[in-house]
Amino acid sequence: MRTYAIIDIGSNTVRMNLYQVKDENFSLLVSKKSAVGLASYVKKKVMSQEGIDALIECLLDFRRTAQLLNINVIDAFATASLRNIKNTEDVLNQVSSHCHIQIEILSGAQEGLISFDGALLGIHYDDGMYMDTGGGSSEIVLYDQKRIGFVCSLPVGSLNLFNEYVDRIIPTKSEITAIQDRVKQELKSAEPSKGMFRVNNLVVTGGSMRAIRELMVHLKMVDPNNFVIKPDDLSELIKVLSKDEKETIRLFLKVKADRVHTMFPGLLLIQSVAQYSRAKNIQVSTNGVREGYMIDKVLKHA
């Protein structure tokens, strides 16, 4: 029996999962996250020293937790949070010096492939589109018979959409339209040929999707045991949340306080993809890139 620590450094949150491994099977022991919001420290594609210090502080805290459990080997990876900045090497060097943690930078394609591997066992549908929504990017995988056919990365996520388009906390009608148009524009640019993104089944993972499902359960729009929702339900949710800004903020604080500013942009992102793809079903996946990283980078090399 072995125990591994995996740290996922995202644009919005940094999370550490501790897994227990027996033979080729693993189970989650502990999950700890911090809403560092690294994307907010990036100006003109350069992360400020304040942002680097916030990351270092978070990683030192995670390292202390791991060491208390006698875990001294930590695998860490970063996605859009560090791959889309100009001073990546400086960040990596400072983290290595202060935290003694080596960070692997995943490309958009790598992130999509690894995330799909992590979700694969729990996917209901043999064919469709898989999407991993993050704070700074969203990875798309088209698959058939649960085999990958096409992978791409969209430069839009819940946090950078909020930073770019939302003036307050809850987007206005014009801001909603601007976000939806931007997502559709990115999908159209990424689509290899017209109609290729048309699917019946959409599988979505990521913090935004899980938070939205929690919100829908709270509002009794979804049964607590149901992980498949209809695209029309997302459109209806947008209408409900657009009625009263103050009540919506209170609702977000009650359900998922750390995502109060990114939940609505995340909802618009997922709804726009569902609408563009004309999906009939949306499955919420509880597994993704961290589990895939565990499989591809740890178990296959153990």
Side-chain angles (χ1 to χ4, degrees):
M1 192 108 36
R2 297 156 289 159
T3 308
Y4 288 92
I6 303 288
I7 297 178
D8 174 2
I9 300 166
S11 298
N12 191 34
T13 61
V14 180
R15 184 188 292 268
M16 178 175 71
N17 281 2
L18 303 182
Y19 296 102
Q20 192 170 67
V21 180
K22 185 177 181 181
D23 300 325
E24 294 184 357
N25 299 311
F26 64 93
S27 57
L28 180 64
L29 288 177
V30 177
S31 184
K32 184 176 182 178
K33 75 172 182 178
S34 178
V36 181
L38 289 177
S40 63
Y41 295 103
V42 177
K43 303 296 180 188
K44 296 183 179 179
K45 293 193 173 183
V46 174
M47 183 175 290
S48 67
Q49 187 59 48
E50 185 182 3
I52 300 172
D53 291 342
L55 175 59
I56 288 171
E57 182 180 352
C58 172
L59 294 179
L60 285 173
D61 178 51
F62 283 0
R63 188 173 189 85
R64 284 190 289 270
T65 300
Q67 288 175 335
L68 284 172
L69 297 170
N70 295 317
I71 302 170
N72 294 309
V73 178
I74 299 174
D75 286 294
F77 66 87
T79 51
S81 59
L82 299 187
R83 72 169 175 251
N84 291 339
I85 59 175
K86 294 178 180 178
N87 59 331
T88 302
E89 286 303 315
D90 182 31
V91 177
L92 297 183
N93 290 336
Q94 289 196 48
V95 167
S96 176
S97 176
H98 289 86
C99 307
H100 305 292
I101 293 174
Q102 307 302 316
I103 301 173
E104 179 178 2
I105 306 296
L106 299 183
S107 68
Q110 282 179 303
E111 185 180 356
L113 292 169
I114 290 172
S115 181
F116 183 76
D117 280 350
L120 192 56
L121 293 177
I123 291 178
H124 297 339
Y125 310 111
D126 289 338
D127 59 81
M129 177 188 288
Y130 173 80
M131 179 170 69
D132 187 340
T133 63
S137 69
S138 297
E139 279 55 54
I140 298 282
V141 176
L142 290 179
Y143 68 97
D144 185 33
Q145 297 302 307
K146 293 190 175 178
R147 294 188 177 183
I148 295 170
F150 175 78
V151 182
C152 69
S153 181
L154 307 180
V156 285
S158 60
L159 185 57
N160 63 10
L161 286 173
F162 171 79
N163 288 337
E164 189 169 341
Y165 291 99
V166 183
D167 185 49
R168 293 164 64 89
I169 298 295
I170 304 303
T172 63
K173 287 184 179 179
S174 62
E175 289 169 346
I176 287 172
T177 300
I179 290 173
Q180 291 170 326
D181 288 347
R182 170 68 185 280
V183 175
K184 289 170 187 175
Q185 176 189 327
E186 295 294 346
L187 285 164
K188 189 176 290 187
S189 298
E191 195 172 29
S193 58
K194 190 174 181 181
M196 196 167 172
F197 283 171
R198 301 289 186 262
V199 296
N200 287 326
N201 306 308
L202 176 63
V203 182
V204 187
T205 193
S208 289
M209 186 72 258
R210 290 189 293 272
I212 290 162
R213 181 185 171 278
E214 283 185 45
L215 184 64
M216 296 176 80
V217 169
H218 180 82
L219 293 171
K220 302 189 185 307
M221 295 177 70
V222 173
D223 185 271
N225 297 314
N226 186 16
F227 285 82
V228 176
I229 60 179
K230 296 297 182 184
D232 286 348
D233 291 338
L234 296 183
S235 299
E236 180 61 29
L237 182 59
I238 291 170
K239 291 180 184 177
V240 170
L241 298 178
S242 299
K243 289 179 181 177
D244 188 319
E245 180 181 31
K246 187 178 289 186
E247 284 304 312
T248 296
I249 292 173
R250 286 175 178 165
L251 179 63
F252 286 174
L253 289 171
K254 185 183 294 184
V255 175
K256 206 76 173 174
D258 62 335
R259 290 188 176 272
V260 66
H261 59 309
T262 60
M263 200 182 305
F264 210 132
L267 169 61
L268 294 170
L269 167 60
I270 295 163
Q271 184 263 351
S272 298
V273 173
Q275 189 176 66
Y276 188 88
S277 66
R278 298 180 189 172
K280 297 176 182 176
N281 309 293
I282 303 173
Q283 180 192 345
V284 181
S285 173
T286 55
N287 290 337
V289 68
R290 288 179 291 277
E291 290 75 19
Y293 195 88
M294 186 69 195
I295 293 167
D296 288 11
K297 302 292 184 176
V298 178
L299 293 187
K300 289 182 180 179
H301 298 282

